């Protein structure tokens, strides 16, 4: 493939707004740092030497381009062609490294020598700790104590890579609380510290910056579909936690109106409060972690607890660009529950010899049930590999 590691670079949206969503609802002390980040990101993304350094790291270190693979046995099972964009084959096992490498190069360019990040399942913490080891920058990862208990292997890996993992004991002791704590650290140490957000959430410019860094997935996939399938996909399917792998792959096809874009949220155990992570389908407009979007909240605007069998989809908010794409109808969003995702996890393992992340398994379930009108190919973002989920899957199986 010519040009691996190429990004879709757009101007940041005016005032960071996507229609009614987005913006920047932050304490005064970080306003200058966010302004600096907008300007530095614009200048870096317009600088060929920055883009060349990033794309050579994405290629030689991370393993891009990732394959776009025709899943023959899964296609036979579904009754129409299904292609998998293999982000599970990226170094560290998920798409998160695309963003972490880009933000770390940007932090270094800005002269910020200390890195903080939040993590839920540990995949973003792992990607950030990896990129920090690569560039020799100190790294503090905030993680809920409940998640530390559930994700011991990723915690051990982050520590091996030299990162400090800070346990967060407030609230539900999960991702939402870790994010609040990382923001608090950043607000206090903003002069020398860069905060690496792991998804297309948070205040402007993060949703735009993370989307740009993940657009490499969609740029590659569009080229690969044209070259290998001889046409664009009829439909693109991706799971949505904060929404970074989804917006990354969608961004390659947004200007192709004939391509349907389908996001899949976590249905968890049901539609009741606290039982799922389906912010767009079951939430309402509100402000969380510095941006206006859809979120799961009670009548007083308090954020609800969430549940999903996949830790990466277990988040009460969603990126503002998805809220906007949902409101305009350019993309649609549906819900797949724990049981369906687990079944798809087993199905892909048996049919293709690929053990998918439980997050990605949500997209697989939706894809095989969504036959396009023209019977044309469906492209799925396989956002990560499932090694991290084996304990969960074995426990769930024992529980049945
Ligand atoms: C973190 C993660 C997700 C969810 O994050 P998005 O920002 O919605 O992409 C999905 N899949 C995997 C494998 C992850 O690690």
């Amino acid at each position: 493939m010519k040009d691996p590691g190429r990004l879709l670079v757009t101007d940041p949206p005016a005032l960071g707004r996507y229609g009614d969503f987005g913006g920047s609802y932050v304490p005064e002390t970080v306003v200058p740092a966010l302004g600096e980040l907008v300007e530095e990101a614009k200048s870096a993304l317009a600088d060929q030497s920055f883009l060349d350094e990033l794309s050579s790291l994405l290629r030689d270190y991370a393993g891009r381009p990732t394959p776009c693979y025709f899943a023959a046995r899964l296609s036979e099972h579904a009754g129409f062609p299904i292609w998998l964009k293999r982000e599970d084959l990226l170094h560290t096992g998920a798409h998160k490294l695309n963003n972490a490498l880009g933000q770390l190069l940007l932090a270094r360019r800005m002269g910020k020598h200390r890195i903080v990040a939040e993590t839920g399942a540990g995949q973003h913490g792992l990607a950030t700790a990896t990129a920090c080891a690569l560039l020799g920058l100190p790294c503090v990862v905030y993680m809920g104590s409940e998640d530390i208990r559930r994700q011991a292997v990723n915690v051990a890996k982050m520590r091996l890579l030299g990162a400090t993992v800070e346990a967060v004991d407030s609230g539900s002791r999960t991702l939402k609380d870790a994010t609040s704590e990382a923001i608090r650290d950043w607000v206090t140490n903003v002069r020398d510290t860069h905060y690496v957000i792991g998804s297309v959430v948070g205040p402007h410019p993060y949703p735009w910056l993370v989307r740009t860094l993940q657009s490499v997935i969609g740029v590659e996939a569009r080229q690969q579909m044209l070259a290998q399938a001889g046409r664009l996909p009829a439909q693109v399917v991706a799971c949505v936690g904060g929404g970074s792998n989804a917006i990354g792959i969608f961004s390659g096809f947004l200007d192709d109106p004939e391509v349907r874009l389908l996001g899949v949220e976590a249905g968890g155990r049901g539609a009741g409060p606290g039982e799922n992570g389906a912010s767009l389908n079951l939430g309402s407009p509100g402000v969380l972690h510095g941006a206006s979007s859809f979120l799961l909240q009670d009548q007083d605007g308090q954020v609800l607890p969430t549940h999903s069998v996949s830790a990466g989809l277990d988040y009460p908010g969603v990126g503002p660009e998805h809220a906007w794409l949902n409101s305009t109808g350019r993309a649609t969003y549906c819900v797949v529950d724990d049981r369906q995702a687990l079944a798809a996890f087993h199905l892909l393992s048996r049919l293709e010899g690929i053990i998918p992340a439980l997050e990605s398994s949500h997209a697989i379930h939706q894809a095989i049930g969504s036959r396009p009108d023209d019977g044309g190919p469906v492209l799925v973002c396989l956002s990560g590999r499932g090694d991290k989920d084996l304990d969960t899957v074995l426990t769930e199986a024992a529980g049945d």
Side-chain angles (χ1 to χ4, degrees):
M1 146 174 281
K2 64 173 169 40
D3 252 7
R6 209 160 58 79
L7 306 179
L8 196 80
V9 180
T10 58
D11 283 336
L15 303 173
R17 312 273 327 170
Y18 300 89
D20 290 339
F21 306 105
S24 185
Y25 300 82
V26 294
E28 237 174 302
T29 43
V30 290
V31 170
L34 288 172
E36 183 195 357
L37 185 57
V38 178
E39 292 314 313
E40 289 282 350
K42 272 165 59 179
S43 110
L45 293 168
D47 175 351
Q48 198 55 45
S49 69
F50 178 89
L51 294 172
D52 287 347
E53 185 175 10
L54 178 56
S55 81
S56 74
L57 281 181
L58 288 171
R59 182 187 62 221
D60 301 332
Y61 181 73
R64 303 212 73 89
T66 58
C68 188
Y69 164 71
F70 175 62
R73 295 211 328 126
L74 186 69
S75 300
E76 196 184 324
H77 173 88
F80 53 87
I82 298 181
W83 294 72
L84 304 177
K85 181 59 173 162
R86 299 287 309 273
E87 293 303 295
D88 61 313
L89 293 176
L90 199 69
H91 181 42
T92 71
H95 66 290
K96 299 272 180 359
L97 192 64
N98 298 319
N99 170 49
L101 284 175
Q103 285 204 46
L104 264 280
L105 289 185
L106 190 58
R108 196 184 60 185
R109 184 183 163 103
M110 291 190 294
K112 306 255 177 175
H113 294 305
R114 178 176 173 268
I115 301 300
V116 297
E118 83 294 335
T119 200
Q123 290 301 109
H124 172 58
L126 180 60
T128 305
T130 299
C132 284
L134 180 71
L135 296 186
L137 296 177
C139 178
V140 179
V141 178
Y142 288 92
M143 189 167 186
S145 50
E146 179 59 21
D147 288 332
I148 289 183
R149 191 184 59 73
R150 289 192 292 196
Q151 305 288 336
V153 172
N154 274 342
V155 174
K157 284 184 185 169
M158 287 185 269
R159 290 187 170 140
L160 264 176
L161 293 162
T164 304
V165 180
E166 289 281 356
V168 176
D169 278 320
S170 52
S172 55
R173 303 176 186 176
T174 58
L175 177 59
K176 165 179 74 67
D177 316 289
T179 304
S180 303
E181 211 51 51
I183 292 174
R184 215 161 291 149
D185 178 319
W186 186 47
V187 171
T188 315
N189 300 298
V190 69
R191 289 170 68 90
D192 70 340
T193 299
H194 176 66
Y195 172 31
V196 184
I197 293 188
S199 190
V200 284
V201 299
H204 178 60
Y206 283 104
W208 163 77
L209 174 60
V210 177
R211 170 225 228 250
T212 304
L213 296 171
Q214 292 293 2
S215 67
V216 66
I217 305 173
V219 170
E220 282 179 10
R222 188 176 192 283
Q223 252 179 278
Q224 289 168 317
M225 286 301 292
L226 289 174
Q228 296 173 238
R231 57 165 285 183
L232 291 175
Q235 183 154 264
V236 179
V237 185
C239 65
V240 176
S244 67
N245 85 91
I247 209 74
I249 199 163
F250 288 179
S251 63
F253 302 94
L254 274 173
D255 293 337
D256 302 308
E258 70 275 31
V259 179
R260 254 193 96 200
L261 305 175
L262 188 52
V264 184
E265 296 193 303
R269 320 187 173 93
E275 294 186 328
N276 59 75
S279 321
L280 288 169
N281 280 280
L282 298 169
S284 53
V287 171
L288 178 66
H289 296 143
S292 153
S293 185
F294 266 62
L295 57 133
L296 296 165
Q297 56 189 334
D298 67 16
Q299 282 160 345
D300 298 327
Q302 290 301 308
V303 178
L304 288 169
T306 49
H307 165 79
S308 169
V309 70
S310 61
L313 304 186
D314 201 350
Y315 180 70
V318 63
E321 190 174 358
H322 287 293
W324 180 65
L325 291 172
N326 184 45
S327 72
T328 62
R330 176 62 188 95
T332 45
Y333 296 84
C334 61
V335 173
V336 163
D337 68 21
D338 286 354
R339 189 171 291 272
Q340 294 167 323
L342 282 161
F345 176 95
H346 288 287
L347 187 74
L348 195 70
S349 301
R350 295 269 177 102
L351 287 181
E352 296 289 346
I354 297 171
I355 300 175
L358 281 171
E359 292 84 357
S360 325
S361 302
H362 287 71
I364 297 288
H365 173 86
Q366 187 59 40
I368 58 183
S370 310
R371 175 180 230 286
D373 293 338
D374 71 351
V378 171
L379 172 66
V380 184
C381 190
L382 196 69
S383 53
R385 66 176 184 230
D387 308 49
K388 68 183 177 59
D389 296 319
L390 289 186
D391 274 354
T392 307
V393 170
L394 297 176
T395 314
E396 292 282 328
D400 272 352

